[in-house]
Amino acid sequence: MIRKRGSLIFCGMFLFISWNAILVLLLWGRPLSWQQDEPGQDPRPTKWVLGDILKIVDTIEEELAKQKQILTQIQKHPLLGEPSNRNNPKVIAPSEPVIPILVIACNRVTVKRCLDKLLQHRPSAELHPIIVSQDCGHTETSDVIRSYGSQVTHLKQPDLSDIAVRQEHKKFQGYYKISRHYHWALNQVFKTLSHSSVVIVEDDLEVAPDFFEYFRATLPLLKSDPTLWCVSAWNDNGREGFVDPGKASLLYRTDFFPGLGWMLLKEMWEELEPKWPASFWDDWMRQPEQRQNRACIRPEISRTLTFGRRGVSLGQFYDKYLRYIKLNTEFVPFTKLDLSYLNEDTYRANFEKEVYSAPVGTYEDIKQGLLTGPGPFCLIYSNKDSFKMLAKNLGIMDDLKSGVPRTGYRGVVSFFSRGRRIYLAPPPGWTQYDSTWS
């Protein structure tokens, strides 16, 4: 069928060329009668000759119009234009999702370090617009942000007033303002600017080279898995020596909300926004009423690093833990990796099998380097006190929020010690967190 259509088309082209060639030959070969009125005058064409020429011109114009129409049809035919997709339809790739970066800023001129790294590693301005939301009205910080021009969108929180709080909470005024700012800024992203997702960082965070790659790869998981409610770039126990340097691509599920560079969907904000707290928003996120047994994704090696010792928390945990967090330097092509192992059913079964089939060690064995074999090893805690004692002595963070340990998944905290994987775990048969462990 295709061969026959091709023959017809080329025949049409041949006839077109032949017809116009004949017209030209006829015009060249036709004799014209000329009239000479008087001797010495220039010969002029007779009236009938002029009329004949006009008729020929009209005929040629009509024929050219027809031939133009034929050529246009030939040009549009699928065999001569774009290849037909009737049997092999062209697959149109869906448009890539836009994931804006929301930078929460206040009065740190060092926001420049944060913005410089974001701009350095950003793969696309269209896919990752940077929105800086500034509270506090600090002029010097505002000048720094404005210096980036069109590279960032600069929003200013309009309400800078003090918040009425109980007398005993006067010293926590800063936490109330931060919570108010988050509420306003996230409404700007989702309601005013109509984005469907966002990655939130604060002005004292530096990002890794694969920061954007990490969130692009995990967005489909967050959208498709109802047992997930966020993706974080942070590992609370991610200090040098406590992570496996050879596992930069390794990701986990965690029941603890990490924050410090995290992705949120519009649908989740619509759930949280009506009940957003007046203060201490991050601890509020860790309460079971908000978490609802959902997990976050977090990396083995952090994709953010905090450099802000000064702040409303007055450097809590900074000198002991946060300043030593290892920032990933190896670019991992997450979007090309199979991350299906993070789906709840698969992940839970495989994780629990690995934890509870591992040889059981003791604290003394770990501290004295008496463990033999590559690991992993399991270290069992029985209650809140034993967890805190073991965590503190092993050098990992020992605080709990609503009963959930930092980085914990089903009560298990995974970390590296002396080059071996250790699982600090509750006894087999664990069912739920005890919110009184806080």
Side-chain angles (χ1 to χ4, degrees):
M1 180 63 72
I2 293 176
R3 189 172 296 173
K4 288 182 179 179
R5 288 180 180 175
S7 299
L8 289 173
I9 291 167
F10 288 112
C11 285
M13 292 180 66
F14 176 77
L15 289 173
F16 169 79
I17 295 169
S18 301
W19 171 252
N20 285 283
I22 292 170
L23 283 176
V24 171
L25 291 173
L26 285 174
L27 286 174
W28 281 352
R30 179 166 182 162
L32 291 177
S33 298
W34 295 89
Q35 173 179 297
Q36 196 170 3
D37 294 336
E38 294 181 8
Q41 290 184 340
D42 293 332
R44 299 177 182 177
T46 61
K47 293 181 180 178
W48 72 265
V49 171
L50 289 172
D52 196 23
I53 291 174
L54 289 174
K55 288 180 182 179
I56 293 173
V57 170
D58 290 338
T59 302
I60 291 174
E61 286 180 350
E62 290 177 4
E63 288 300 322
L64 286 175
K66 292 178 183 178
Q67 300 304 322
K68 180 180 180 182
Q69 185 177 7
I70 293 171
L71 273 181
T72 301
Q73 292 175 351
I74 292 172
Q75 186 182 37
K76 290 181 178 179
H77 197 280
L79 287 178
L80 294 180
E82 290 294 324
S84 174
N85 291 325
R86 183 176 301 176
N87 297 322
N88 296 294
K90 183 180 179 181
V91 178
I92 301 175
S95 58
E96 294 189 67
V98 174
I99 310 175
I101 310 300
L102 173 63
V103 180
I104 300 291
C106 180
N107 59 358
R108 291 188 180 108
V109 294
T110 51
V111 67
K112 176 176 172 55
R113 177 174 170 183
C114 172
L115 293 176
D116 284 348
K117 286 297 182 181
L118 285 170
L119 291 170
Q120 177 185 342
H121 298 311
R122 180 172 67 169
S124 165
E126 292 73 27
L127 297 180
H128 296 287
I130 296 174
I131 304 164
V132 186
S133 181
Q134 185 191 359
D135 200 359
C136 309
H138 190 247
T139 303
E140 289 80 2
T141 301
S142 182
D143 290 343
V144 170
I145 298 167
R146 194 164 51 246
S147 71
Y148 287 88
S150 61
Q151 294 181 95
V152 306
T153 299
H154 186 189
L155 306 178
K156 292 186 178 182
Q157 146 74 312
D159 187 359
L160 304 180
S161 64
D162 285 340
I163 299 173
V165 299
R166 302 193 309 270
Q167 184 62 37
E168 60 270 26
H169 274 208
K170 286 286 186 180
K171 61 181 179 181
F172 299 131
Q173 178 78 210
Y175 289 102
Y176 282 82
K177 290 186 176 181
I178 288 173
S179 190
R180 178 177 67 185
H181 185 196
Y182 264 83
H183 184 270
W184 181 84
L186 286 169
N187 272 338
Q188 294 302 303
V189 170
F190 290 124
K191 294 185 177 182
T192 304
L193 300 176
S194 301
H195 288 293
S196 59
S197 64
V198 68
V199 174
I200 305 154
V201 300
E202 295 191 359
D203 55 2
D204 61 346
L205 289 183
E206 178 179 327
V207 303
D210 56 357
F211 174 85
F212 293 93
E213 175 80 358
Y214 170 66
F215 284 110
R216 294 202 72 79
T218 51
L219 178 63
L221 289 171
L222 185 59
K223 285 183 172 181
S224 63
D225 189 344
T227 67
L228 291 172
W229 71 319
C230 85
V231 177
S232 173
W234 183 258
N235 175 1
D236 275 296
N237 290 314
R239 289 184 294 155
E240 190 82 47
F242 288 80
V243 294
D244 187 343
K247 294 291 181 67
S249 64
L250 182 58
L251 306 179
Y252 295 84
R253 293 177 70 102
T254 177
D255 300 321
F256 190 88
F257 171 72
L260 292 172
W262 56 289
M263 182 162 59
L264 176 72
L265 297 181
K266 182 178 182 179
E267 293 79 5
M268 184 55 61
W269 177 242
E270 290 172 346
E271 174 188 320
L272 298 174
E273 191 268 339
K275 55 179 181 175
W276 191 253
S279 64
F280 305 107
W281 69 269
D282 48 350
D283 284 344
W284 175 83
M285 290 276 287
R286 292 159 183 154
Q287 295 172 357
E289 293 80 8
Q290 281 64 252
R291 190 172 64 81
Q292 297 183 16
N293 293 319
R294 293 173 292 203
C296 293
I297 295 172
R298 61 97 174 169
E300 168 74 3
I301 303 177
S302 289
R303 264 59 187 188
T304 54
L305 172 70
T306 178
F307 53 84
R309 185 182 185 279
R310 291 177 59 250
V312 294
S313 65
L314 302 178
Q316 184 185 24
F317 299 130
Y318 184 82
D319 289 330
K320 189 174 182 180
Y321 296 103
L322 304 184
R323 67 183 298 180
Y324 301 108
I325 294 293
K326 177 180 173 59
L327 180 67
N328 181 62
T329 57
E330 172 191 346
F331 186 93
V332 175
F334 283 111
T335 56
K336 296 179 173 60
L337 302 182
D338 182 4
L339 302 182
S340 60
Y341 70 91
L342 291 164
N343 291 323
E344 169 65 13
D345 292 341
T346 302
Y347 186 87
R348 177 175 171 177
N350 291 338
F351 186 81
E352 290 186 336
K353 180 181 179 181
E354 179 167 324
V355 170
Y356 293 106
S357 64
V360 177
T362 66
Y363 166 73
E364 290 76 14
D365 291 338
I366 296 173
K367 291 300 291 184
Q368 296 175 21
L370 301 177
L371 297 174
T372 59
F377 295 91
C378 185
L379 180 60
I380 302 293
Y381 67 88
S382 57
N383 53 41
K384 172 186 174 181
D385 291 337
S386 67
F387 170 81
K388 292 183 74 69
M389 183 272 293
L390 289 169
K392 184 176 181 179
N393 289 329
L394 289 167
I396 62 174
M397 298 190 76
D398 65 343
D399 63 319
L400 304 104
K401 302 291 185 180
S402 297
V404 184
R406 291 181 185 268
T407 76
Y409 174 73
R410 297 189 62 78
V412 180
V413 175
S414 172
F415 63 99
F416 233 48
S417 180
R418 295 178 178 266
R420 292 180 176 84
R421 175 69 57 193
I422 306 295
Y423 293 117
L424 182 56
W430 180 96
T431 55
Q432 64 181 4
Y433 294 102
D434 185 342
S435 59
T436 64
W437 290 21
S438 295

